[in-house]
């Protein structure tokens, strides 16, 4: 459910954070941030220190600031974390004297969907992408794999957005022994997390599922309304509608909304309509221009305007929206289980290394060979 959680740390003694954190977590290797496999903040911090803590698969601290960034002295990144582990990390940060304040700066929520018999992972991904949309999103785009043709990652919004959505197939390499599944990922930044009241790990205890997915929408086009009232569909003789249908099947409704709501249409009360000199639509009819060429003429008209009500006029809630929301909610409730007992932390002690007994070298005694044995 929670793939990655990043915590911003503010300190008055940032040089002591790693040392004091090592009292509760076993320190591991250190690498320079710009040489890390997935560098996070190479322009702000110089070093990354890995730790081992409980059942966590990967924990590392990004520290030693090299820039003048304010309000951030270190970042603690945790992968595949449970709620109990998060609460323990919060207690550790509260105990460390070098830490004056901390809060979430990035959280990746994940849901895994496994295909049923008779359906492949790419087909399941397409069924998820077709109705998926984020409210107030500005852009949606796919990125095809350069190595595997059937591996595509679909994005809604960009990395700089407060909330971004990703959908991809795992494992990366097709045909492997592992079971293929589709992963849906929501990446939330500080501003969005503050808006739902999620600043520290203990805030998860009172957080409802609806707060996390309040921008997630499952929509579908009202094809009947599009055929009856879409101006570009009626003027182009169905060419515009065919392009929309093809993009929806392969790229999803979020991509269509981000692109087609920018299409310009003739205003209902345009004073230049029918003017021989100023109306491209009238000139196109006289020249018998139809299809996509007619759409291009309308888009080039300086008096045409984008349809700001495109989503409200031609979209409705998907018939599978309740099923998808219930599936995601069950996964969240299974992860967000309050601990039965109070969460406690204990200082760790480094395990003493066992001294290996020194092996005595075997000395071979060379027996002199007489000349009589050689001949």
């Amino acid at each position: 459910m929670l793939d990655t959680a990043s915590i911003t740390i503010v300190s008055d003694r940032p040089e002591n954070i790693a040392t004091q954190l090592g009292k509760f977590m076993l320190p591991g290797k250190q690498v320079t941030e710009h040489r890390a496999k997935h560098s996070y903040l190479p322009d702000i911090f110089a070093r990354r220190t890995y730790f081992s803590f409980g059942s966590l698969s990967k924990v590392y601290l990004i520290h030693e600031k090299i820039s003048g960034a304010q309000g951030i002295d270190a970042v603690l990144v945790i992968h595949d974390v449970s709620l109990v582990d998060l609460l323990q990390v919060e207690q550790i940060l509260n105990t460390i004297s070098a830490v004056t304040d901390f809060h979430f700066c990035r959280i990746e929520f994940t849901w895994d969907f496994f295909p049923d018999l008779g359906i492949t992972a790419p087909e399941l991904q397409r069924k998820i992408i077709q109705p998926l949309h984020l409210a107030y999103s500005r852009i949606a785009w796919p990125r095809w794999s350069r190595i595997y043709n059937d591996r595509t990652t679909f994005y809604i919004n960009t990395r700089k957005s407060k909330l971004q959505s990703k959908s991809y197939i795992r494992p990366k390499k097709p045909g492997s022994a592992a079971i293929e599944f589709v992963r849906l990922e929501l990446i939330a930044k500080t501003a969005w997390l503050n808006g739902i009241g999620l600043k520290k790990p203990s805030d998860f205890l009172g957080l409802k599922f609806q707060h996390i997915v309040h921008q997630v929408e499952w929509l579908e086009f009202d094809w009947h309304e599009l055929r009856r009232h879409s101006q570009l569909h009626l003027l182009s003789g169905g060419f515009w509608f065919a392009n929309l249908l093809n993009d929806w099947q392969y790229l999803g409704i979020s991509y269509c909304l981000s692109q087609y709501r920018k299409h310009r249409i003739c205003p209902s009360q345009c004073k230049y309509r029918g003017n021989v000199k100023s109306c491209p639509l009238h000139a196109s009819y006289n020249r018998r221009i139809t299809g996509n060429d007619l759409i291009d003429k309308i888009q080039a008209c300086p008096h045409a305007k984008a349809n700001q009500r495109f989503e409200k006029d031609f979209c409705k809630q998907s018939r599978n929206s309740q099923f998808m929301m219930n599936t995601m909610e069950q996964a969240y409730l299974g992860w967000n289980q309050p601990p039965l007992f109070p969460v406690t932390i204990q200082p760790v002690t480094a395990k003493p290394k066992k001294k290996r007994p020194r092996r005595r070298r075997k000395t071979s005694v060379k027996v002199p060979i007489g000349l009589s044995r050689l001949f």
Side-chain angles (χ1 to χ4, degrees):
M1 171 60 196
L2 208 65
D3 186 57
T4 306
S6 302
I7 302 176
T8 296
I9 298 175
V10 181
S11 172
D12 53 354
R13 292 173 294 165
E15 66 277 1
N16 297 336
I17 297 177
T19 304
Q20 295 185 6
L21 197 62
K23 296 179 181 180
F24 300 93
M25 300 180 182
L26 288 176
K29 65 177 182 178
Q30 289 189 355
V31 296
T32 55
E33 181 61 19
H34 71 278
R35 291 185 178 181
K37 186 177 181 180
H38 299 286
S39 59
Y40 186 36
L41 298 169
D43 299 332
I44 301 178
F45 297 100
R47 192 165 299 278
R48 175 185 295 192
T49 303
Y50 288 88
F51 293 90
S52 298
F53 180 71
S55 61
L56 297 178
S57 60
K58 185 190 296 184
V59 183
Y60 56 87
L61 179 72
I62 307 175
H63 55 109
E64 293 189 11
K65 188 166 62 174
I66 57 177
S67 69
Q70 300 295 326
I72 177 173
D73 295 305
V75 177
L76 184 64
V77 183
I78 312 169
H79 288 259
D80 300 327
V81 60
S82 64
L83 181 58
V84 176
D85 292 331
L86 268 181
L87 296 176
Q88 288 180 334
V89 170
E90 182 178 6
Q91 286 194 8
I92 292 174
L93 295 178
N94 286 327
T95 306
I96 294 176
S97 60
V99 176
T100 58
D101 191 16
F102 61 92
H103 59 84
F104 284 125
C105 62
R106 176 187 170 97
I107 292 181
E108 296 180 7
F109 303 95
T110 57
W111 290 269
D112 296 338
F113 299 91
F114 292 84
D116 294 330
L117 294 177
I119 184 173
T120 62
E123 292 174 348
L124 177 61
Q125 184 187 28
R126 189 178 301 173
K127 289 187 176 182
I128 294 175
I129 286 300
Q130 283 179 354
L132 178 61
H133 180 60
L134 293 182
Y136 316 113
S137 61
R138 297 298 183 92
I139 187 173
W141 45 284
R143 187 180 69 180
W144 286 274
S145 174
R146 298 179 181 178
I147 304 176
Y148 309 111
N149 295 328
D150 59 345
R151 291 294 191 267
T152 306
T153 303
F154 292 91
Y155 296 87
I156 302 178
N157 288 336
T158 61
R159 290 183 179 180
K160 297 181 180 180
S161 304
K162 299 177 182 179
L163 183 67
Q164 184 189 25
S165 170
K166 289 172 59 178
S167 175
Y168 49 87
I169 300 175
R170 288 293 181 265
K172 291 184 178 181
K173 185 177 180 181
S176 59
I179 300 176
E180 292 184 343
F181 62 92
V182 181
R183 173 165 291 180
L184 177 61
E185 192 172 291
L186 286 180
I187 305 173
K189 299 291 186 64
T190 304
W192 190 88
L193 294 172
N194 292 340
I196 64 173
L198 189 56
K199 299 180 180 180
K200 296 187 177 182
S202 57
D203 296 333
F204 270 110
L205 298 176
L207 185 67
K208 295 183 179 180
F209 170 75
Q210 289 75 13
H211 294 160
I212 298 177
V213 297
H214 73 277
Q215 280 188 233
V216 178
E217 298 177 344
W218 302 93
L219 305 175
E220 63 182 17
F221 283 117
D222 192 338
W223 304 111
H224 180 70
E225 289 294 324
L226 276 169
R227 292 189 182 95
R228 287 187 60 185
H229 301 294
S230 175
Q231 182 186 112
L232 295 178
H233 164 63
L234 298 174
L235 293 177
S236 64
F239 282 88
W240 180 88
F241 183 85
N243 296 334
L244 174 66
L245 180 61
N246 182 73
D247 290 339
W248 171 78
Q249 288 178 344
Y250 293 97
L251 301 177
I253 196 169
S254 188
Y255 174 85
C256 294
L257 291 177
S258 63
Q259 297 296 325
Y260 284 80
R261 65 187 173 196
K262 300 177 184 177
H263 288 190
R264 300 157 65 88
I265 59 176
C266 296
S268 57
Q269 297 179 354
C270 181
K271 61 181 180 180
Y272 298 99
R273 177 176 296 180
N275 192 300
V276 179
K277 297 181 179 180
S278 304
C279 183
L281 180 61
H282 180 76
S284 300
Y285 273 127
N286 291 338
R287 298 175 184 177
R288 297 183 180 180
I289 298 176
T290 59
N292 291 325
D293 295 334
L294 178 61
I295 297 177
D296 295 337
K297 293 293 184 181
I298 297 176
Q299 301 308 307
C301 178
H303 312 294
K305 296 181 179 180
N307 186 5
Q308 301 295 336
R309 296 180 52 86
F310 182 79
E311 180 178 344
K312 294 182 180 180
D313 293 342
F314 303 123
C315 290
K316 61 182 180 179
Q317 191 175 12
S318 174
R319 66 192 72 179
N320 298 323
S321 61
Q322 193 62 40
F323 172 77
M324 296 300 295
M325 283 298 187
N326 291 339
T327 304
M328 296 169 66
E329 185 176 7
Q330 293 301 319
Y332 173 74
L333 295 178
W335 178 86
N336 193 354
Q337 292 287 340
L340 299 177
F341 304 98
V343 177
T344 58
I345 56 174
Q346 295 179 356
V348 296
T349 56
K351 296 181 179 180
K353 296 182 179 180
K354 296 181 179 180
K355 294 184 178 181
R356 296 182 180 179
R358 294 183 62 182
R359 294 182 180 179
R360 295 182 179 180
R361 294 182 179 180
K362 295 181 179 181
T363 57
S364 58
V365 180
K366 294 183 179 181
V367 180
I369 301 176
L371 294 178
S372 59
R373 297 185 182 182
L374 298 177
F375 299 99

